[in-house]
Amino acid sequence: MTEHAAVFLDRDGTINREVDYLSDPDQVELLPGAAEGLRKLKQAGYLLCVVTNQSGVARGLFDEERLHAIHARLKELLAAEGVHLDWIGYCPHHPTEGRVGYRANCFCNKPRPGMMIEAAALLGIDLERAWCIGDSRRDLKAGEQVGAMGLLVRTGKGAAEARKAESSGHYVDVVDDLLDAADRILLL
């Protein structure tokens, strides 16, 4: 199987507006520049893979059927902008809270890299050519574990995460948004 370059993307605060425990497909709103940035990456040959923690399922705030409706809405909004996502992976678990069957300290919950490893196996992704983009250090740590290069966006919780990393002396490569991230990746 041919190994592809890919970009792993956090969902909330990276692609779409941050809403605590997004549970309604009507609340999905693309961030400015998100579709354009994803379109550029796709046109350059990158696979686009969403990897998102969704502990709201474990906490009983919404079920997986509702989560699938949210992802269908996200795909619909992106398709209207000429963008196709290659894969959406999600972790419905929480390590210490939630309903039976969803309370789990699993390998798919970021900062663990389980979703990225699953996508790589399914889609033939070369993890050494992969990028990870998100609005939290947790997103980037998952990518680091598989050898992906990371970019922290200032959208969502990213601006606060960037300040926190800077004040603690940790280097993080920070970009404004997904459009800025795409431009940075395509320069390299």
Side-chain angles (χ1 to χ4, degrees), residues 117-148:
I117 291 170
E118 180 181 356
L122 289 171
L123 301 175
I125 293 170
D126 179 354
L127 293 171
E128 292 180 4
R129 294 173 45 211
W131 287 84
C132 182
I133 304 171
D135 69 332
S136 78
R137 283 282 301 136
R138 167 180 70 199
D139 300 322
L140 304 186
K141 284 180 184 178
E144 288 169 9
Q145 292 183 59
V146 297

Side-chain angles (χ1 to χ4, degrees), residues 9-23:
L9 303 142
D10 179 51
R11 190 189 80 184
D12 302 324
T14 303
I15 299 172
N16 56 275
R17 185 174 53 86
E18 179 76 37
V19 174
D20 282 340
Y21 300 107
L22 174 64
S23 61

Side-chain angles (χ1 to χ4, degrees), residues 9-12 15-16 22 24-31 34-35 38-39 42 48-52 64-90 123:
L9 303 142
D10 179 51
R11 190 189 80 184
D12 302 324
I15 299 172
N16 56 275
L22 174 64
D24 184 344
D26 291 335
Q27 293 177 309
V28 178
E29 178 184 329
L30 296 178
L31 288 169
L38 294 176
R39 191 170 42 253
K42 191 69 172 167
L48 302 177
C49 301
V50 174
V51 289
T52 179
E64 288 189 73
E65 184 177 320
R66 179 53 72 114
L67 184 58
H68 292 297
I70 290 165
H71 289 158
R73 178 67 178 145
L74 178 64
K75 289 179 186 178
E76 177 185 314
L77 291 172
L78 288 170
E81 299 288 333
V83 177
H84 167 76
L85 295 175
D86 294 286
W87 190 78
I88 296 179
Y90 65 90
L123 301 175

Side-chain angles (χ1 to χ4, degrees), residues 40-55:
K40 284 183 170 188
L41 291 167
K42 191 69 172 167
Q43 289 170 344
Y46 285 91
L47 296 179
L48 302 177
C49 301
V50 174
V51 289
T52 179
N53 286 351
Q54 293 299 317
S55 67

